[in-house]
Amino acid sequence: MEVNRTSISEFLLQLQDQICSALETADGSATFKEENWERTEGGGGRTRIIRDGAVIEKGGVLFSAVQGEAPAFLFSEKEHSVASGQKQGQFFATGVSIVIHPQSPLVPIIHMNIRYFEMDNGTRWLGGGIDLTPHYIVEQDATFFHSALKSVCDRHHKNYYPDFKKWADDYFYIAHRKETRGIGGIFFDRLNSSEDMSFEKNLAFWKEVGETFAPVYTELIRRHKDEVFTEKQKQWQLLRRGRYVEFNLVYDKGTKFGLETNGRVESILMSLPKLAGWEYDFHAEPGSEEEMTLKGLRKDVAYVK
């Protein structure tokens, strides 16, 4: 199959179908509701939302394919400059974005995004990532999650896991809190071709990252969905969701891209939880599970060798 925007979009639509089916099975109660939308400037998307399930309180699996005049910030930000000094042109971007907020504080929040971007001057690249935000850090889960990501990376390039894990640690960082959003994962951007990796090889890696989501997250759901939790743990979940909101509204570049390209607001802000909390000057009880989790929210933790 020829590699172009059409074939990539078709893969993403199929991936959306597969992930939604897996999540519905794992939840066992709720189903996704679909909305199709169009963007005035060009393109549109297929938004699927699941709510008030046995496992999932709120979640979304979103597909979009949009095009039009490239937003100015793509050219003004040094680290994401497409063609410094050149006239802005037309862009095409397609991707699948996922955020799942579970009912139980013992089941982690998860996020994944894989995206393809091209300009009419021939520039094209792949980006994406997957990261886990447990309300309570469980060492076995962290090892399982990072081992799965490392296996995917190692099948394609020996440097991808260490490089992309560090990128995730740096990206998913709440600077004003001096803590990471969760236990990280992998994050990459501007992936095109290099001396030892063609665009097609990187595309195969990119696809495998997307296909890793469902088996990894449904296993984490299976491990914890039936565990009993306390009201204290539920209140802690609300505080951790509050930190999640802070990151997405202050730092997340995907949110910024969507808003600055006149995307569908409901889809862009799908990542926010149904309920969240903020408590003034909160301090975890010394020696508590909450304090141990806060101590673990830092960069450069080696979850796997």
Side-chain angles (χ1 to χ4, degrees):
M1 178 184 294
E2 182 183 356
V3 176
N4 54 37
R5 63 169 67 177
T6 300
S7 63
I8 290 173
S9 296
E10 288 174 351
F11 165 79
L12 290 169
L13 284 166
Q14 293 171 2
L15 181 68
Q16 185 190 38
D17 287 340
Q18 294 164 3
I19 290 173
C20 287
S21 178
L23 289 173
E24 287 180 346
T25 299
D27 184 272
S29 172
T31 57
F32 281 90
K33 306 302 181 185
E34 180 176 300
E35 294 179 277
N36 292 283
W37 55 275
E38 294 184 357
R39 178 174 171 270
T40 303
E41 293 83 353
R46 191 169 77 176
T47 293
R48 290 181 178 170
I49 301 296
I50 187 169
R51 291 185 283 192
D52 302 322
V55 175
I56 301 170
E57 182 174 288
K58 179 188 175 187
V61 181
L62 279 55
F63 165 83
S64 64
V66 299
Q67 59 196 44
E69 185 72 22
F73 73 85
L74 285 175
F75 296 85
S76 60
E77 292 184 9
K78 183 177 179 181
E79 71 274 20
H80 286 108
S81 175
V82 175
S84 179
Q86 292 186 12
K87 182 180 178 180
Q88 297 178 29
Q90 296 291 307
F91 81 95
F92 171 81
T94 185
V96 163
S97 298
I98 305 167
V99 176
I100 303 296
H101 291 284
Q103 298 276 14
S104 170
L106 306 180
V107 177
I109 303 167
I110 195 167
H111 156 262
M112 187 192 79
N113 170 272
I114 57 171
R115 56 193 178 275
Y116 168 74
F117 184 96
E118 69 177 36
M119 291 286 294
D120 58 2
N121 64 5
T123 299
R124 62 177 180 171
W125 50 262
L126 303 160
I130 178 170
D131 71 293
L132 196 69
T133 305
H135 309 96
Y136 293 93
I137 296 177
V138 178
E139 184 177 350
Q140 295 91 332
D141 291 346
T143 299
F144 165 75
F145 178 71
H146 276 271
S147 294
L149 296 182
K150 185 176 185 299
S151 294
V152 171
C153 291
D154 287 352
R155 281 192 286 273
H156 296 270
H157 197 291
K158 63 182 178 63
N159 293 333
Y160 276 5
Y161 178 73
D163 288 351
F164 296 164
K165 178 189 180 298
K166 184 181 187 310
W167 203 336
D169 284 350
D170 292 339
Y171 182 79
F172 296 109
Y173 184 69
I174 309 174
H176 62 273
R177 297 287 189 179
K178 295 181 174 56
E179 65 185 41
T180 55
R181 187 169 80 172
I183 62 167
I186 59 172
F187 181 83
F188 55 94
D189 207 4
R190 302 281 166 181
L191 199 61
N192 191 337
S193 59
S194 60
E195 292 182 0
D196 55 350
M197 289 291 286
S198 66
F199 179 84
E200 288 72 22
K201 287 182 178 180
N202 277 324
L203 181 65
F205 160 72
W206 177 85
K207 287 182 175 181
E208 192 171 351
V209 171
E211 292 166 343
T212 299
F213 175 90
V216 167
Y217 192 55
T218 55
E219 168 59 20
L220 291 171
I221 288 174
R222 185 197 65 78
R223 291 182 180 190
H224 300 292
K225 66 176 182 177
D226 296 324
E227 294 177 342
V228 177
F229 55 86
T230 66
E231 179 59 26
K232 177 184 177 183
Q233 290 172 322
K234 191 67 178 177
Q235 291 303 310
W236 172 249
Q237 179 187 42
L238 296 179
L239 293 179
R240 295 314 307 164
R241 286 177 176 178
R243 300 291 173 89
Y244 201 92
V245 170
E246 290 177 24
F247 174 85
N248 281 25
L249 295 183
V250 176
Y251 300 110
D252 186 65
K253 290 184 173 65
T255 301
K256 179 178 181 179
F257 179 84
L259 294 175
E260 293 203 17
T261 55
N262 196 30
R264 183 173 182 267
V265 173
E266 287 299 320
S267 297
I268 297 165
L269 299 183
M270 171 279 303
S271 63
L272 305 184
K274 179 179 179 180
L275 299 171
W278 288 265
E279 184 175 328
Y280 180 76
D281 198 26
F282 174 82
H283 293 278
E285 182 181 341
S288 66
E289 290 181 305
E290 292 79 13
E291 184 187 56
M292 295 304 296
T293 290
L294 287 173
K295 289 181 177 179
L297 296 175
R298 54 189 174 84
K299 298 181 182 181
D300 303 321
V301 179
Y303 297 104
V304 293
K305 295 182 180 180

